[in-house]
mmCIF file of all heavy atoms in Angstrom:
data_model
loop_
_atom_site.group_PDB
_atom_site.id
_atom_site.type_symbol
_atom_site.label_atom_id
_atom_site.label_comp_id
_atom_site.label_asym_id
_atom_site.label_seq_id
_atom_site.Cartn_x
_atom_site.Cartn_y
_atom_site.Cartn_z
ATOM 1 N N ILE A 125 -32.349 32.942 112.827
ATOM 2 C CA ILE A 125 -32.889 33.389 114.116
ATOM 3 C C ILE A 125 -31.840 33.198 115.211
ATOM 4 O O ILE A 125 -31.411 32.072 115.481
ATOM 5 C CB ILE A 125 -34.148 32.581 114.477
ATOM 6 C CG1 ILE A 125 -35.180 32.681 113.338
ATOM 7 C CG2 ILE A 125 -34.732 33.055 115.796
ATOM 8 C CD1 ILE A 125 -36.339 31.695 113.484
ATOM 9 N N CYS A 126 -31.454 34.301 115.835
ATOM 10 C CA CYS A 126 -30.356 34.246 116.810
ATOM 11 C C CYS A 126 -30.855 34.094 118.246
ATOM 12 O O CYS A 126 -31.904 34.638 118.605
ATOM 13 C CB CYS A 126 -29.536 35.523 116.752
ATOM 14 S SG CYS A 126 -28.841 35.850 115.136
ATOM 15 N N CYS A 127 -30.054 33.409 119.021
ATOM 16 C CA CYS A 127 -30.297 33.308 120.460
ATOM 17 C C CYS A 127 -28.943 33.240 121.152
ATOM 18 O O CYS A 127 -27.927 33.019 120.502
ATOM 19 C CB CYS A 127 -31.129 32.071 120.778
ATOM 20 S SG CYS A 127 -30.302 30.507 120.376
ATOM 21 N N GLY A 128 -28.936 33.454 122.446
ATOM 22 C CA GLY A 128 -27.664 33.356 123.164
ATOM 23 C C GLY A 128 -27.761 34.007 124.520
ATOM 24 O O GLY A 128 -28.618 34.862 124.762
ATOM 25 N N GLU A 129 -26.840 33.594 125.392
ATOM 26 C CA GLU A 129 -26.882 34.045 126.781
ATOM 27 C C GLU A 129 -25.780 35.064 127.083
ATOM 28 O O GLU A 129 -24.763 35.111 126.403
ATOM 29 C CB GLU A 129 -26.734 32.830 127.720
ATOM 30 C CG GLU A 129 -25.309 32.345 127.996
ATOM 31 C CD GLU A 129 -24.670 31.595 126.818
ATOM 32 O OE1 GLU A 129 -25.264 31.538 125.736
ATOM 33 O OE2 GLU A 129 -23.542 31.077 126.998
ATOM 34 N N THR A 130 -25.992 35.844 128.120
ATOM 35 C CA THR A 130 -24.950 36.755 128.608
ATOM 36 C C THR A 130 -23.959 35.950 129.459
ATOM 37 O O THR A 130 -24.229 34.794 129.828
ATOM 38 C CB THR A 130 -25.554 37.851 129.511
ATOM 39 O OG1 THR A 130 -26.146 37.199 130.651
ATOM 40 C CG2 THR A 130 -26.618 38.663 128.795
ATOM 41 N N LEU A 131 -22.851 36.600 129.799
ATOM 42 C CA LEU A 131 -21.864 35.939 130.668
ATOM 43 C C LEU A 131 -22.478 35.617 132.038
ATOM 44 O O LEU A 131 -22.273 34.532 132.587
ATOM 45 C CB LEU A 131 -20.637 36.850 130.826
ATOM 46 C CG LEU A 131 -19.452 36.228 131.544
ATOM 47 C CD1 LEU A 131 -18.977 34.958 130.837
ATOM 48 C CD2 LEU A 131 -18.300 37.230 131.613
ATOM 49 N N GLN A 132 -23.263 36.548 132.552
ATOM 50 C CA GLN A 132 -23.900 36.322 133.868
ATOM 51 C C GLN A 132 -24.821 35.112 133.818
ATOM 52 O O GLN A 132 -24.862 34.308 134.751
ATOM 53 C CB GLN A 132 -24.724 37.534 134.316
ATOM 54 C CG GLN A 132 -23.921 38.768 134.682
ATOM 55 C CD GLN A 132 -23.692 39.664 133.459
ATOM 56 O OE1 GLN A 132 -23.371 39.186 132.361
ATOM 57 N NE2 GLN A 132 -23.833 40.966 133.642
ATOM 58 N N GLU A 133 -25.568 34.992 132.726
ATOM 59 C CA GLU A 133 -26.475 33.844 132.601
ATOM 60 C C GLU A 133 -25.691 32.540 132.500
ATOM 61 O O GLU A 133 -26.063 31.520 133.075
ATOM 62 C CB GLU A 133 -27.404 34.030 131.395
ATOM 63 C CG GLU A 133 -28.467 35.089 131.652
ATOM 64 C CD GLU A 133 -29.125 35.655 130.408
ATOM 65 O OE1 GLU A 133 -28.562 35.538 129.296
ATOM 66 O OE2 GLU A 133 -30.213 36.243 130.548
ATOM 67 N N ARG A 134 -24.565 32.582 131.749
ATOM 68 C CA ARG A 134 -23.743 31.368 131.661
ATOM 69 C C ARG A 134 -23.226 30.989 133.043
ATOM 70 O O ARG A 134 -23.290 29.838 133.455
ATOM 71 C CB ARG A 134 -22.580 31.554 130.679
ATOM 72 C CG ARG A 134 -21.583 30.405 130.730
ATOM 73 C CD ARG A 134 -20.888 30.152 129.429
ATOM 74 N NE ARG A 134 -21.754 29.619 128.399
ATOM 75 C CZ ARG A 134 -21.782 28.322 128.030
ATOM 76 N NH1 ARG A 134 -21.023 27.430 128.643
ATOM 77 N NH2 ARG A 134 -22.577 27.928 127.072
ATOM 78 N N GLU A 135 -22.724 32.008 133.764
ATOM 79 C CA GLU A 135 -22.160 31.712 135.091
ATOM 80 C C GLU A 135 -23.228 31.240 136.068
ATOM 81 O O GLU A 135 -22.957 30.455 136.962
ATOM 82 C CB GLU A 135 -21.412 32.941 135.622
ATOM 83 C CG GLU A 135 -20.076 33.099 134.891
ATOM 84 C CD GLU A 135 -19.372 34.423 135.159
ATOM 85 O OE1 GLU A 135 -19.992 35.331 135.768
ATOM 86 O OE2 GLU A 135 -18.200 34.538 134.749
ATOM 87 N N ALA A 136 -24.457 31.701 135.849
ATOM 88 C CA ALA A 136 -25.556 31.276 136.735
ATOM 89 C C ALA A 136 -26.117 29.913 136.319
ATOM 90 O O ALA A 136 -27.021 29.382 136.974
ATOM 91 C CB ALA A 136 -26.663 32.325 136.723
ATOM 92 N N GLY A 137 -25.623 29.371 135.235
ATOM 93 C CA GLY A 137 -26.076 28.042 134.802
ATOM 94 C C GLY A 137 -27.426 28.052 134.093
ATOM 95 O O GLY A 137 -28.100 27.024 134.016
ATOM 96 N N THR A 138 -27.824 29.219 133.567
ATOM 97 C CA THR A 138 -29.162 29.295 132.950
ATOM 98 C C THR A 138 -29.113 29.400 131.417
ATOM 99 O O THR A 138 -30.091 29.804 130.787
ATOM 100 C CB THR A 138 -29.962 30.489 133.518
ATOM 101 O OG1 THR A 138 -29.206 31.692 133.294
ATOM 102 C CG2 THR A 138 -30.228 30.339 134.996
ATOM 103 N N THR A 139 -27.976 29.038 130.841
ATOM 104 C CA THR A 139 -27.814 29.170 129.390
ATOM 105 C C THR A 139 -28.922 28.453 128.607
ATOM 106 O O THR A 139 -29.567 29.042 127.732
ATOM 107 C CB THR A 139 -26.443 28.593 128.959
ATOM 108 O OG1 THR A 139 -25.427 29.361 129.584
ATOM 109 C CG2 THR A 139 -26.275 28.639 127.456
ATOM 110 N N GLU A 140 -29.119 27.176 128.916
ATOM 111 C CA GLU A 140 -30.070 26.396 128.104
ATOM 112 C C GLU A 140 -31.500 26.880 128.276
ATOM 113 O O GLU A 140 -32.286 26.895 127.334
ATOM 114 C CB GLU A 140 -29.919 24.902 128.410
ATOM 115 C CG GLU A 140 -28.572 24.406 127.898
ATOM 116 C CD GLU A 140 -28.325 22.922 128.050
ATOM 117 O OE1 GLU A 140 -29.282 22.151 128.283
ATOM 118 O OE2 GLU A 140 -27.143 22.521 127.952
ATOM 119 N N GLN A 141 -31.800 27.312 129.496
ATOM 120 C CA GLN A 141 -33.121 27.879 129.775
ATOM 121 C C GLN A 141 -33.342 29.147 128.941
ATOM 122 O O GLN A 141 -34.403 29.347 128.350
ATOM 123 C CB GLN A 141 -33.134 28.233 131.259
ATOM 124 C CG GLN A 141 -34.460 28.394 131.900
ATOM 125 C CD GLN A 141 -34.215 28.759 133.368
ATOM 126 O OE1 GLN A 141 -33.305 28.229 134.036
ATOM 127 N NE2 GLN A 141 -34.994 29.702 133.863
ATOM 128 N N LYS A 142 -32.296 29.994 128.884
ATOM 129 C CA LYS A 142 -32.399 31.250 128.131
ATOM 130 C C LYS A 142 -32.636 30.983 126.639
ATOM 131 O O LYS A 142 -33.561 31.530 126.041
ATOM 132 C CB LYS A 142 -31.119 32.064 128.339
ATOM 133 C CG LYS A 142 -30.963 33.292 127.448
ATOM 134 C CD LYS A 142 -31.837 34.437 127.915
ATOM 135 C CE LYS A 142 -31.667 35.693 127.056
ATOM 136 N NZ LYS A 142 -30.416 36.400 127.250
ATOM 137 N N VAL A 143 -31.798 30.129 126.039
ATOM 138 C CA VAL A 143 -31.938 29.925 124.590
ATOM 139 C C VAL A 143 -33.225 29.158 124.273
ATOM 140 O O VAL A 143 -33.869 29.430 123.250
ATOM 141 C CB VAL A 143 -30.697 29.227 123.961
ATOM 142 C CG1 VAL A 143 -29.447 30.082 124.141
ATOM 143 C CG2 VAL A 143 -30.485 27.827 124.471
ATOM 144 N N ALA A 144 -33.633 28.264 125.156
ATOM 145 C CA ALA A 144 -34.893 27.539 124.922
ATOM 146 C C ALA A 144 -36.061 28.519 124.896
ATOM 147 O O ALA A 144 -36.947 28.430 124.043
ATOM 148 C CB ALA A 144 -35.109 26.482 126.003
ATOM 149 N N GLY A 145 -36.034 29.477 125.798
ATOM 150 C CA GLY A 145 -37.101 30.486 125.844
ATOM 151 C C GLY A 145 -37.108 31.332 124.583
ATOM 152 O O GLY A 145 -38.174 31.598 124.002
ATOM 153 N N GLN A 146 -35.925 31.756 124.145
ATOM 154 C CA GLN A 146 -35.845 32.605 122.946
ATOM 155 C C GLN A 146 -36.316 31.850 121.704
ATOM 156 O O GLN A 146 -37.047 32.395 120.873
ATOM 157 C CB GLN A 146 -34.404 33.089 122.740
ATOM 158 C CG GLN A 146 -33.968 34.120 123.775
ATOM 159 C CD GLN A 146 -32.506 34.509 123.604
ATOM 160 O OE1 GLN A 146 -31.646 33.671 123.320
ATOM 161 N NE2 GLN A 146 -32.209 35.783 123.786
ATOM 162 N N ILE A 147 -35.903 30.598 121.584
ATOM 163 C CA ILE A 147 -36.263 29.818 120.388
ATOM 164 C C ILE A 147 -37.750 29.460 120.411
ATOM 165 O O ILE A 147 -38.441 29.558 119.394
ATOM 166 C CB ILE A 147 -35.365 28.547 120.285
ATOM 167 C CG1 ILE A 147 -33.915 28.957 119.985
ATOM 168 C CG2 ILE A 147 -35.891 27.559 119.256
ATOM 169 C CD1 ILE A 147 -33.703 29.691 118.663
ATOM 170 N N THR A 148 -38.245 29.084 121.573
ATOM 171 C CA THR A 148 -39.677 28.754 121.681
ATOM 172 C C THR A 148 -40.530 29.965 121.300
ATOM 173 O O THR A 148 -41.512 29.841 120.555
ATOM 174 C CB THR A 148 -40.008 28.284 123.115
ATOM 175 O OG1 THR A 148 -39.171 27.164 123.422
ATOM 176 C CG2 THR A 148 -41.465 27.875 123.257
ATOM 177 N N ALA A 149 -40.128 31.142 121.766
ATOM 178 C CA ALA A 149 -40.889 32.360 121.448
ATOM 179 C C ALA A 149 -40.801 32.682 119.954
ATOM 180 O O ALA A 149 -41.801 33.046 119.324
ATOM 181 C CB ALA A 149 -40.352 33.529 122.275
ATOM 182 N N ALA A 150 -39.627 32.529 119.379
ATOM 183 C CA ALA A 150 -39.454 32.872 117.953
ATOM 184 C C ALA A 150 -40.274 31.948 117.060
ATOM 185 O O ALA A 150 -40.761 32.356 116.009
ATOM 186 C CB ALA A 150 -37.977 32.800 117.577
ATOM 187 N N LEU A 151 -40.418 30.679 117.484
ATOM 188 C CA LEU A 151 -41.075 29.686 116.633
ATOM 189 C C LEU A 151 -42.584 29.567 116.883
ATOM 190 O O LEU A 151 -43.264 28.791 116.200
ATOM 191 C CB LEU A 151 -40.431 28.304 116.834
ATOM 192 C CG LEU A 151 -38.945 28.187 116.475
ATOM 193 C CD1 LEU A 151 -38.476 26.739 116.619
ATOM 194 C CD2 LEU A 151 -38.684 28.693 115.064
ATOM 195 N N ALA A 152 -43.099 30.336 117.828
ATOM 196 C CA ALA A 152 -44.522 30.192 118.188
ATOM 197 C C ALA A 152 -45.419 30.372 116.967
ATOM 198 O O ALA A 152 -45.321 31.374 116.253
ATOM 199 C CB ALA A 152 -44.892 31.210 119.267
ATOM 200 N N GLY A 153 -46.260 29.386 116.737
ATOM 201 C CA GLY A 153 -47.270 29.507 115.684
ATOM 202 C C GLY A 153 -46.868 28.945 114.332
ATOM 203 O O GLY A 153 -47.668 28.977 113.398
ATOM 204 N N PHE A 154 -45.631 28.442 114.203
ATOM 205 C CA PHE A 154 -45.217 27.922 112.896
ATOM 206 C C PHE A 154 -45.367 26.413 112.810
ATOM 207 O O PHE A 154 -45.261 25.708 113.806
ATOM 208 C CB PHE A 154 -43.764 28.314 112.587
ATOM 209 C CG PHE A 154 -43.596 29.796 112.531
ATOM 210 C CD1 PHE A 154 -42.910 30.470 113.522
ATOM 211 C CD2 PHE A 154 -44.181 30.533 111.511
ATOM 212 C CE1 PHE A 154 -42.799 31.843 113.501
ATOM 213 C CE2 PHE A 154 -44.070 31.908 111.471
ATOM 214 C CZ PHE A 154 -43.377 32.564 112.471
ATOM 215 N N ALA A 155 -45.583 25.948 111.572
ATOM 216 C CA ALA A 155 -45.703 24.513 111.332
ATOM 217 C C ALA A 155 -44.319 23.909 111.105
ATOM 218 O O ALA A 155 -43.366 24.621 110.776
ATOM 219 C CB ALA A 155 -46.571 24.285 110.093
ATOM 220 N N ALA A 156 -44.236 22.587 111.271
ATOM 221 C CA ALA A 156 -42.956 21.893 111.109
ATOM 222 C C ALA A 156 -42.327 22.176 109.747
ATOM 223 O O ALA A 156 -41.120 22.402 109.645
ATOM 224 C CB ALA A 156 -43.167 20.390 111.288
ATOM 225 N N GLN A 157 -43.148 22.204 108.704
ATOM 226 C CA GLN A 157 -42.552 22.421 107.366
ATOM 227 C C GLN A 157 -41.991 23.834 107.192
ATOM 228 O O GLN A 157 -41.148 24.047 106.330
ATOM 229 C CB GLN A 157 -43.497 22.023 106.218
ATOM 230 C CG GLN A 157 -44.831 22.699 106.186
ATOM 231 C CD GLN A 157 -45.883 21.909 106.977
ATOM 232 O OE1 GLN A 157 -45.594 21.290 108.009
ATOM 233 N NE2 GLN A 157 -47.115 21.945 106.532
ATOM 234 N N ASP A 158 -42.443 24.786 108.018
ATOM 235 C CA ASP A 158 -41.813 26.120 108.005
ATOM 236 C C ASP A 158 -40.460 26.050 108.718
ATOM 237 O O ASP A 158 -39.468 26.595 108.253
ATOM 238 C CB ASP A 158 -42.668 27.143 108.779
ATOM 239 C CG ASP A 158 -44.009 27.402 108.113
ATOM 240 O OD1 ASP A 158 -44.070 27.348 106.876
ATOM 241 O OD2 ASP A 158 -44.989 27.646 108.852
ATOM 242 N N VAL A 159 -40.465 25.373 109.846
ATOM 243 C CA VAL A 159 -39.299 25.393 110.723
ATOM 244 C C VAL A 159 -38.109 24.683 110.081
ATOM 245 O O VAL A 159 -36.960 25.117 110.232
ATOM 246 C CB VAL A 159 -39.658 24.762 112.090
ATOM 247 C CG1 VAL A 159 -38.440 24.656 112.987
ATOM 248 C CG2 VAL A 159 -40.760 25.573 112.760
ATOM 249 N N GLU A 160 -38.364 23.631 109.319
ATOM 250 C CA GLU A 160 -37.212 22.881 108.779
ATOM 251 C C GLU A 160 -36.400 23.703 107.788
ATOM 252 O O GLU A 160 -35.247 23.393 107.548
ATOM 253 C CB GLU A 160 -37.649 21.529 108.195
ATOM 254 C CG GLU A 160 -38.595 21.617 107.041
ATOM 255 C CD GLU A 160 -39.116 20.237 106.630
ATOM 256 O OE1 GLU A 160 -39.179 19.337 107.486
ATOM 257 O OE2 GLU A 160 -39.441 20.081 105.441
ATOM 258 N N HIS A 161 -36.974 24.783 107.251
ATOM 259 C CA HIS A 161 -36.214 25.629 106.316
ATOM 260 C C HIS A 161 -35.571 26.837 106.992
ATOM 261 O O HIS A 161 -34.863 27.606 106.353
ATOM 262 C CB HIS A 161 -37.121 26.108 105.179
ATOM 263 C CG HIS A 161 -37.694 24.970 104.405
ATOM 264 N ND1 HIS A 161 -36.902 24.095 103.698
ATOM 265 C CD2 HIS A 161 -38.953 24.522 104.274
ATOM 266 C CE1 HIS A 161 -37.674 23.169 103.146
ATOM 267 N NE2 HIS A 161 -38.918 23.404 103.494
ATOM 268 N N MET A 162 -35.818 27.006 108.273
ATOM 269 C CA MET A 162 -35.216 28.139 108.981
ATOM 270 C C MET A 162 -33.784 27.793 109.376
ATOM 271 O O MET A 162 -33.392 26.632 109.399
ATOM 272 C CB MET A 162 -35.999 28.431 110.264
ATOM 273 C CG MET A 162 -37.435 28.851 110.024
ATOM 274 S SD MET A 162 -38.256 29.065 111.622
ATOM 275 C CE MET A 162 -39.944 29.331 111.080
ATOM 276 N N VAL A 163 -33.037 28.827 109.701
ATOM 277 C CA VAL A 163 -31.696 28.626 110.254
ATOM 278 C C VAL A 163 -31.711 29.218 111.659
ATOM 279 O O VAL A 163 -32.199 30.339 111.857
ATOM 280 C CB VAL A 163 -30.622 29.323 109.382
ATOM 281 C CG1 VAL A 163 -29.233 29.158 109.994
ATOM 282 C CG2 VAL A 163 -30.650 28.765 107.950
#
Side-chain angles (χ1 to χ4, degrees):
I125 305 169
C126 302
C127 64
E129 83 286 6
T130 62
L131 188 58
Q132 291 90 317
E133 287 161 341
R134 171 150 291 257
E135 285 169 350
T138 57
T139 297
E140 292 184 16
Q141 200 181 320
K142 170 76 178 287
V143 298
Q146 289 176 320
I147 292 298
T148 303
L151 299 185
F154 299 109
Q157 57 270 35
D158 294 327
V159 175
E160 62 187 27
H161 300 297
M162 297 177 187
V163 178

